[in-house]
Amino acid sequence: MADRKLTFLMEVELPPYCFLSEAVEWVAFGRVPQVLHHSDGSTDEAVDYRFYWREMPDNFRPTMEYPWFDPLEFESLGVPVDKKYFAAAEKCAFEFVDDLPNRIAEFESKEPAFVENEDGSTFDFWKKMANDSREKLLELGPLKEFVDAVEAGFTPHQEIACAKLFQCLAKGEIGSEAIDYDRWDQMVEDGEYEAAARFEAVPPEAYSLDFDWMGDEILIAGRKFVALRVKTADVLKNRSFLLHTGMAVTVERFGAFYMSGNASRSSPQAKRGRRTAVDWSLMKSHLTQLALSNELPDGKENCIYALIVFAEKELGRAPSRTTVQRNMATELDALYAQT
């Protein structure tokens, strides 16, 4: 009895909506979507980061704490796993390995931008970025191929989940909605951020089996709609068809928690969660340093791109162009007012 492992469980707060890609993972792998509590100082109350208009477009897709598969997911779905997978997956996470060849080509296509070192020597900023990305690709490329090969074992489960969801969406048994991207983009340009975040119902006939179920985007009459979401209540309403019931466990109440004596059913760490927000004060400080050292990129657009690269490399976060422009508009306009 002393060796018996006890697992403490807690209630999960489901959001009213979840991204379609989250619904796929819920049905396929049992990853239950959870509310992402968030406060940005604009209100005294915590809001759900998911679909919050002030954070768009950074929340047009789900955020992750870690994107690889948990050991319990391999076990519960019967997918073979090599133990080296977990270290390799962690090393490749958030490195955008598949995008590296395009980024290398983009860096190499740019006009030279020479930066002076403290010792007076100079180097081409874009050439250095290309070389750094090439070294990263040589290191991480083989690891990413190994990770992809292991994760291919989950593909059948994902395909079955997509087929199930397609039936429910095409019949109108699960409601979905999304944001007209062109409308959002125009209204954001006009400063109407909250009104831009209006969701519109997606007609059932917009879905097809060859649809990109993990992209959280959909085309309707030739127009792109983003932040594609479904009603959580509708998924639960169809849970007998969609969701795995799993093995039965005995659960006891223990204060505010619930306790299970079945160790094999311990809940893995939530895969969804907001990653650390960009430290805009640090971004602005970096921009100031560039200006003081006469290292500003040529043109505001190039500067925004360089700031994104800095955030990705130094802060572990890659904000969108719109987010950088919105949060650093005053500083950028002041520095590039004469161009």
Side-chain angles (χ1 to χ4, degrees):
M1 184 68 176
D3 295 330
R4 185 185 180 195
K5 180 178 179 181
L6 298 177
T7 300
F8 285 90
L9 313 173
M10 60 185 294
E11 293 181 347
V12 172
E13 185 178 358
L14 293 173
Y17 293 89
C18 63
F19 286 97
L20 179 58
S21 62
E22 290 181 310
V24 171
E25 294 185 336
W26 188 5
V27 176
F29 316 130
R31 298 178 182 174
V32 180
Q34 301 181 38
V35 170
L36 304 182
H37 291 290
H38 166 64
S39 177
D40 62 3
S42 62
T43 174
D44 293 334
E45 298 181 3
V47 296
D48 187 356
Y49 177 74
R50 182 186 283 99
F51 314 116
Y52 182 39
W53 64 270
R54 288 183 182 274
E55 299 298 331
M56 293 179 177
D58 286 349
N59 59 352
F60 278 168
R61 296 200 62 190
T63 54
M64 293 185 181
E65 288 183 353
Y66 66 98
W68 55 92
F69 288 90
D70 187 275
L72 286 177
E73 291 174 330
F74 283 95
E75 179 184 339
S76 63
L77 296 175
V79 177
V81 60
D82 184 323
K83 291 184 178 180
K84 295 192 295 289
Y85 161 81
F86 301 103
E90 183 173 2
K91 197 163 188 178
C92 293
F94 311 117
E95 292 289 353
F96 309 102
V97 180
D98 293 336
D99 293 337
L100 285 174
N102 290 334
R103 288 170 58 186
I104 292 170
E106 185 173 356
F107 292 145
E108 290 180 335
S109 69
K110 290 184 176 293
E111 293 294 327
F114 292 99
V115 176
E116 186 174 349
N117 292 313
E118 293 182 358
D119 61 2
S121 62
T122 61
F123 67 93
D124 182 350
F125 175 79
W126 296 115
K127 183 177 181 180
K128 181 178 185 302
M129 293 299 296
N131 290 337
D132 290 347
S133 297
R134 191 176 291 106
E135 290 180 6
K136 185 179 292 186
L137 181 60
L138 287 173
E139 176 192 4
L140 299 181
L143 290 179
K144 185 62 166 54
E145 290 181 5
F146 166 67
V147 169
D148 289 344
V150 173
E151 292 183 349
F154 288 94
T155 301
H157 299 279
Q158 184 171 317
E159 291 176 342
I160 292 171
C162 294
K164 287 183 175 181
L165 284 166
F166 169 70
Q167 294 181 59
C168 292
L169 288 162
K171 293 177 182 178
E173 295 173 351
I174 292 181
S176 63
E177 50 189 45
I179 296 174
D180 185 329
Y181 182 77
D182 289 336
R183 176 183 177 277
W184 178 86
D185 194 39
Q186 180 59 54
M187 296 193 75
V188 164
E189 285 291 326
D190 297 336
E192 301 179 42
Y193 298 109
E194 186 170 9
R198 188 188 76 193
F199 281 84
E200 301 179 24
V202 175
E205 59 270 19
Y207 292 96
S208 62
L209 280 174
D210 60 355
F211 169 70
D212 178 8
W213 293 90
M214 303 303 291
D216 297 312
E217 296 181 359
I218 191 168
L219 286 177
I220 304 176
R223 294 178 69 87
K224 183 173 79 169
F225 284 71
V226 297
L228 179 58
R229 67 187 192 182
V230 300
K231 294 181 179 179
T232 305
D234 288 350
V235 176
L236 292 173
K237 191 184 304 179
N238 293 276
R239 62 180 176 271
S240 61
F241 171 65
L242 293 173
L243 304 177
H244 300 287
T245 57
M247 60 184 293
V249 297
T250 301
V251 177
E252 300 173 80
R253 182 71 178 266
F254 187 84
F257 298 89
Y258 299 87
M259 182 177 68
S260 169
N262 191 330
S264 65
R265 295 297 297 171
S266 59
S267 178
Q269 177 184 353
K271 292 199 180 301
R272 298 299 182 186
R274 190 183 179 199
R275 297 176 63 196
T276 304
V278 171
D279 186 339
W280 293 108
S281 63
L282 187 58
M283 292 282 283
K284 292 174 183 178
S285 175
H286 175 66
L287 180 61
T288 301
Q289 290 176 7
L290 290 177
L292 292 175
S293 59
N294 198 28
E295 297 176 357
L296 280 175
D298 183 19
K300 186 191 295 186
E301 286 297 319
N302 286 337
C303 186
I304 291 174
Y305 185 80
L307 288 169
I308 294 172
V309 171
F310 169 79
E312 181 180 343
K313 185 175 182 180
E314 302 297 333
L315 309 181
R317 190 73 195 270
S320 66
R321 177 199 171 281
T322 303
T323 301
V324 173
Q325 185 178 31
R326 185 172 70 237
N327 284 276
M328 302 186 67
T330 301
E331 292 76 13
L332 288 167
D333 288 345
L335 290 171
Y336 290 94
Q338 298 178 351
T339 60

